[in-house]
Amino acid sequence: MTETLADTVGTRPPLTLVKNIPTPEPAPADPPAESGVEAVDRADNPLADWLSVPDAPVLPAWARSAASIKANAAAFGRLTWWHTQYHGFRVPKYLVKTVLLAARGFFRATMGLWPTLSAQDHTATVKALRAQVKAKPEDVDLATRLQMAHFERTRTRRWRFGAAAAGVAAAAVGIALADPMLQAGIAGAVVTPLAYLGRGKETHLLDHGAPPLRVDMSAQQLNDALRAAGLLKSGRATDDEKDAPRVSCSMGPVRDGRGWAVIFDLPRGGGKTASDVLAKREVIAQELGVDEIQVIMSRVRAAKGGNAGRVSMWVADDDPYLGKPNPSPFATAERFSIWDPIPFGQDARGNRIEVPVMWQSMFFGGLPRRGKTFTQRLMTAAGLLDAYVRHYVADGKGGADWMPMRAVAHRLVMGAEDDAIEALKAMLAELLVEMERRFAILRELPTSICPEGKLTPEIVQRYNLPVIFVTIDELQEYFTAMEREDREQVINDLCRIARRGPAAGFVSNFASQRPDADSVPTKLREIITLRYSTQVVDRASSDMVLGKGKAAQGADASVLSEDHVGTGVLVTGPASYVTVRADYLDGTGFALLCQKGRTLRQAAGQLTGDAAGDVTAAADASGVKLAPILSDALEVMRHSPRLFTTDLLSGLVNLDEDVYGDFNAERLASELEAAGVKRTSKQVKISGTNAAGYQRRDIEAAVPAEILLAHG
């Protein structure tokens, strides 16, 4: 489809005059001579119409860019392949149909040639004589004249028919003795014209297969959809209503990949804007006969030749966010610079989406089991492959998602128990001290080294000030478990880090499952620059994550379904958003990246903090396999020198319910004893209370000596 939308609906393309000088006041009869410019659009200029230039593209819409040509060529190739498959499977049907048509053609040919084959004569002379003979059967002379006339008229037919019959018989004998390929060719040469003769007006040899398009967009459909949505005046634009308002177009509608693309302008005088169109996405989708997830709309800004009433729309043939996920390039990468944009995913048209995170802060939200944590880990994974990125990680759920980070993280807080909350508060306090220390250093640096007063790649290595990645998952778990004063203090600390930290090289990466005011405090949410939401229950929840009023602008995560795992709406600015299908990086791939990150940091001398003192991570790095019960028990007791048996069991179940769900005190003691744990005391004292429990030093003593020596 190459015609413009304006041509399709029958409107004349807008005209642009060669020289158009706006005149807010009535122009004088004689313009001043000193201007030196003669406006051609004056009312008294007879050449104004002749000199006006149509504001219509010279090339068809599909040929205006290399990308468009490539997309349409690819669509043509897919369509050709589909038709090849469609008709290929129907070849047996077509052969049977051809034989039936040839039989009917043979019958028609025989009936048409029968007068000749039977030597019949229906000329006017013979018919007249035959009529006279019927009238006078006793007239012998007349009967003789009829016979002689018939004989003369049909004599040549007899010998020609005989010769033809002899030729056909000889050809049949020759064909029977010929090569099978020649027989097939001759049969085709005979059957094809007979089948053509046997066809009817409504008979077609080939089936008419529908192309693989679920959506077909026309100008009339688009205008009707906008009119039904209240964006155009009511009434259908027909030949009798040529003055009815309709959109004009600068491109399309044309095929663009696996959908239709169109850029249109709303008519003036209707009081509607591009923002009004975006807010009516669901109604427009219904009128076009598609799901709203298939309709991708955005404003065209002035920088790209747009205006307040210009909209870019792409309607997909089917759901563009389903299918096999795209593997993350980090799965095979060896190194990455956090100063580069992070590969994040693909939009509906398959375009790569990259997110720059330096000087930014991020927030991830959405319902459980929609891929939120997997997507959040993509950002952290980028920092794993840069040795000069220091990770501070806290996971309020305390599950297995972030456990591989113990190989890399400078600080790792797991769970939301009392000891973990204290560890989180200590981690935030450490971050604030480090932030102020960095600002003091940056203030003292000369402008030749630090021209903008913030971190640079050169400063990172020269002064050993690595970029700090602050990752906190399941914020709602911490906020729910904290007392009010602690909660307010933690929120204030997070706000300070998100607001002032970027200039000092801090990248905040926060996430929460429950998008409500308690889990996503407004004063924290509003200073986050990048926001991403997987499916939520309603538009209010979407606005809670993405920002107030974003759903009305089209950034609405509630339109996603439970099938859209790993897909969410990414907001990158006040009016910038895109629905992204994030790249896929599974738990195994993330764990391998953590080991790569540990190796890179060891080589660069950047392995610090908890990762440098974690015996489990050291065992993994050295290839020595610890007993799972030792590794998991040490993980649960990460923040505590001692734990009651009941608390240790609870932590193990939270870590891996499938493994530890049936454990009791006796089985736990048996498993730890089998792994080499020798308890110095079966009772521990915590906060003045004595009860059965374990000392962390007893469990660490069961770690093989070679690991401790290599680690020490």
Side-chain angles (χ1 to χ4, degrees):
M1 185 181 298
T2 59
E3 66 271 18
T4 64
L5 186 60
D7 294 334
T8 310
V9 298
T11 59
R12 179 181 178 184
L15 302 179
T16 301
L17 299 180
V18 174
K19 183 67 176 179
N20 187 2
I21 302 177
T23 54
E25 299 294 336
D30 296 319
E34 60 270 20
S35 66
V37 178
E38 182 70 20
V40 301
D41 59 343
R42 286 170 37 193
D44 60 345
N45 184 1
L47 300 179
D49 291 338
W50 183 72
L51 291 176
S52 61
V53 180
D55 188 16
V58 177
L59 293 175
W62 61 268
R64 293 175 199 163
S65 67
S68 179
I69 294 175
K70 182 179 179 180
N72 282 277
F76 178 76
R78 290 193 299 269
L79 185 63
T80 302
W81 174 239
W82 185 88
H83 277 294
T84 301
Q85 292 178 301
Y86 179 87
H87 293 297
F89 284 116
R90 287 162 176 76
V91 167
K93 175 183 177 180
Y94 296 158
L95 290 176
V96 173
K97 199 172 182 179
T98 300
V99 171
L100 294 177
L101 289 176
R104 187 163 67 178
F106 178 77
F107 174 77
R108 290 179 177 178
T110 301
M111 294 301 296
L113 293 174
W114 181 252
T116 299
L117 297 177
S118 60
Q120 294 182 8
D121 188 7
H122 297 289
T123 60
T125 301
V126 173
K127 286 181 178 180
L129 289 173
R130 188 174 291 116
Q132 293 178 18
V133 170
K134 288 182 179 180
K136 299 178 179 180
E138 69 282 357
D139 191 341
V140 177
D141 181 59
L142 187 61
T144 302
R145 289 172 55 197
L146 174 61
Q147 292 178 354
M148 292 299 296
H150 177 72
F151 178 81
E152 289 296 330
R153 290 286 300 172
T154 60
R155 180 170 56 181
T156 57
R157 296 181 185 178
R158 291 186 179 87
W159 70 263
R160 283 184 296 185
F161 174 70
V168 169
V173 174
I175 292 173
L177 300 176
D179 182 82
M181 293 297 295
L182 180 60
Q183 291 178 345
I186 295 175
V190 173
V191 170
T192 298
L194 290 178
Y196 180 80
L197 183 63
R199 79 193 193 286
K201 291 183 178 180
E202 303 298 329
T203 303
H204 300 282
L205 176 62
L206 301 181
D207 293 343
H208 288 272
L213 305 177
R214 297 186 181 182
V215 180
D216 188 14
M217 180 185 290
S218 68
Q220 190 61 58
Q221 285 176 310
L222 180 60
N223 279 280
D224 289 345
L226 295 175
R227 190 166 289 111
L231 299 168
L232 296 177
K233 291 182 179 179
S234 60
R236 187 181 179 89
T238 63
D239 293 337
D240 297 331
E241 299 176 348
K242 294 183 178 180
D243 294 333
R246 51 177 69 87
V247 297
S248 59
C249 176
S250 58
M251 187 194 80
V254 293
R255 287 295 299 170
D256 183 358
R258 297 182 181 274
W260 290 92
V262 61
I263 300 176
F264 61 88
D265 291 321
L266 293 171
R268 298 181 182 180
K272 300 297 182 181
T273 66
S275 297
D276 296 322
V277 178
L278 303 184
K280 294 287 188 176
R281 175 185 175 189
E282 184 177 2
V283 178
I284 294 172
Q286 188 274 332
E287 292 297 324
L288 292 176
V290 298
D291 190 87
E292 58 191 294
I293 199 68
Q294 297 172 243
V295 179
I296 313 299
M297 295 190 297
S298 62
R299 286 189 56 180
V300 182
R301 294 289 180 174
K304 297 183 179 180
N307 55 67
R310 178 164 292 184
V311 178
S312 174
M313 177 188 293
W314 186 75
V315 182
D317 296 333
D318 48 22
D319 193 325
Y321 304 110
L322 298 181
K324 187 177 180 180
N326 302 302
S328 170
F330 293 133
T332 56
E334 296 298 328
R335 292 179 181 271
F336 184 78
S337 174
I338 199 65
W339 298 86
D340 296 332
I342 295 178
F344 189 67
Q346 294 185 354
D347 66 5
R349 303 195 200 190
N351 300 317
R352 291 296 303 170
I353 301 298
E354 296 182 333
V355 181
V357 297
M358 286 304 297
W359 327 125
Q360 305 290 340
S361 52
M362 299 171 286
F363 184 84
F364 293 80
L367 293 173
R369 292 172 294 280
R370 297 296 185 270
K372 171 185 59 63
T373 298
F374 276 62
T375 308
Q376 185 191 19
R377 285 195 316 199
L378 282 176
M379 319 309 285
T380 302
L384 291 174
L385 296 179
D386 189 333
Y388 286 89
V389 173
R390 182 174 295 168
H391 291 274
Y392 287 72
V393 180
D395 178 16
K397 185 171 62 176
D401 291 333
W402 295 97
M403 277 186 60
M405 286 297 294
R406 63 190 175 191
V408 179
H410 182 81
R411 293 286 179 262
L412 178 60
V413 178
M414 301 296 290
E417 293 75 19
D418 292 343
D419 56 345
I421 290 176
E422 293 301 319
L424 173 65
K425 292 162 59 178
M427 184 183 84
L428 295 178
E430 179 182 336
L431 286 169
L432 292 173
V433 171
E434 175 64 15
M435 183 173 68
E436 296 302 332
R437 185 183 76 88
R438 291 185 174 215
F439 280 127
I441 294 175
L442 295 174
R443 285 194 298 267
E444 297 299 325
L445 293 178
T447 55
S448 59
I449 298 177
C450 185
E452 298 181 5
K454 58 185 180 181
L455 210 64
T456 66
E458 294 74 18
I459 295 175
V460 165
Q461 297 194 28
R462 183 173 179 179
Y463 295 93
N464 192 24
L465 297 175
V467 174
I468 291 182
F469 226 96
V470 185
T471 302
I472 304 180
D473 194 9
E474 309 295 354
L475 270 174
Q476 79 282 349
E477 297 294 333
Y478 291 115
F479 293 152
T480 302
M482 290 178 182
E483 298 294 336
R484 180 176 179 181
E485 291 183 0
D486 287 343
R487 181 176 182 272
E488 290 299 321
Q489 182 60 48
V490 167
I491 292 173
N492 290 333
D493 291 346
L494 292 175
C495 289
R496 288 181 62 190
I497 292 171
R499 183 172 54 249
R500 299 186 61 227
F506 285 51
V507 178
S508 300
N509 184 18
F510 305 148
S512 176
Q513 281 188 358
R514 287 191 356 227
D516 53 38
D518 292 332
S519 301
V520 192
T522 302
K523 66 178 180 179
L524 174 61
R525 183 187 67 231
E526 294 304 319
I527 60 176
I528 300 294
T529 54
L530 302 176
R531 306 174 193 175
Y532 181 86
S533 178
T534 57
Q535 184 197 14
V536 292
V537 295
D538 52 31
R539 301 185 74 173
S541 298
S542 180
D543 282 349
M544 189 67 67
V545 178
L546 301 178
K548 185 177 181 180
K550 287 295 186 291
Q553 298 176 9
D556 183 9
S558 67
V559 304
L560 300 172
S561 71
E562 58 275 8
D563 296 324
H564 295 122
V565 178
T567 298
V569 180
L570 174 66
V571 171
T572 57
S576 302
Y577 65 89
V578 61
T579 301
V580 182
R581 191 179 188 198
D583 294 334
Y584 180 69
L585 180 66
D586 61 11
T588 302
F590 184 71
L592 291 175
L593 279 181
C594 289
Q595 291 302 321
K596 285 184 182 179
R598 184 180 181 90
T599 302
L600 290 173
R601 283 157 179 78
Q602 286 176 329
Q606 292 295 317
L607 189 65
T608 60
D610 292 349
D614 193 302
V615 294
T616 305
D620 292 341
S622 61
V624 177
K625 186 67 175 177
L626 285 181
I629 188 64
L630 284 181
S631 176
D632 293 342
L634 287 173
E635 186 60 40
V636 173
M637 301 182 71
R638 171 178 291 273
H639 312 297
S640 303
R642 62 191 65 84
L643 273 183
F644 294 135
T645 300
T646 54
D647 293 335
L648 180 55
L649 282 171
S650 177
L652 289 171
V653 171
N654 184 53
L655 194 65
D656 194 336
E657 185 175 1
D658 294 334
V659 174
Y660 301 108
D662 297 330
F663 269 49
N664 54 27
E666 290 75 16
R667 184 175 177 184
L668 176 62
S670 175
E671 293 283 347
L672 287 174
E673 184 178 353
V677 175
K678 297 180 180 179
R679 300 167 71 179
T680 57
S681 173
K682 295 185 178 181
Q683 295 283 320
V684 296
K685 186 176 182 179
I686 303 176
S687 301
T689 302
N690 281 304
Y694 291 84
Q695 301 277 357
R696 187 172 64 193
R697 64 173 181 265
D698 293 341
I699 299 177
E700 289 177 344
V703 176
E706 60 269 22
I707 296 178
L708 296 176
L709 290 174
H711 180 65

